[in-house]
Amino acid sequence: MANHNPNTEGLTQSKWINKPVKVYRLPEPIADDVLTYAHLLDKGDIAPIVVTLNHALGLPANKGGAIKVEIKKVLEILTKG
């Protein structure tokens, strides 16, 4: 039987823009970083990601030339649109 008068006290609106949402279990050491990244993606705010990748391109190569090529490709994809 449906509850026509549910107690919604204490409930708040979801902070997510994109819905529906799923719940995931994450290892505690990375949970905050994953959640921060997920919120950036949800808001469409990828500027901090682009800054980080640009910084990585300035680091010494040390046999990382192939990595730099891939980072450049990711930057092109992220900055389009």
Side-chain angles (χ1 to χ4, degrees), residues 1-2 8 11 16-17 20 26 41 59 62 69:
M1 185 168 161
T8 58
L11 296 178
W16 296 100
I17 295 169
L26 300 168
L41 289 174
L59 299 173
N62 293 344
V69 169

Side-chain angles (χ1 to χ4, degrees), residues 53-76:
L53 290 172
N54 275 320
H55 173 70
L57 284 172
L59 299 173
N62 293 344
K63 300 180 183 177
I67 294 171
K68 286 189 175 187
V69 169
E70 295 304 311
I71 290 174
K72 287 179 184 178
K73 288 178 187 175
V74 170
L75 283 170
E76 288 176 19

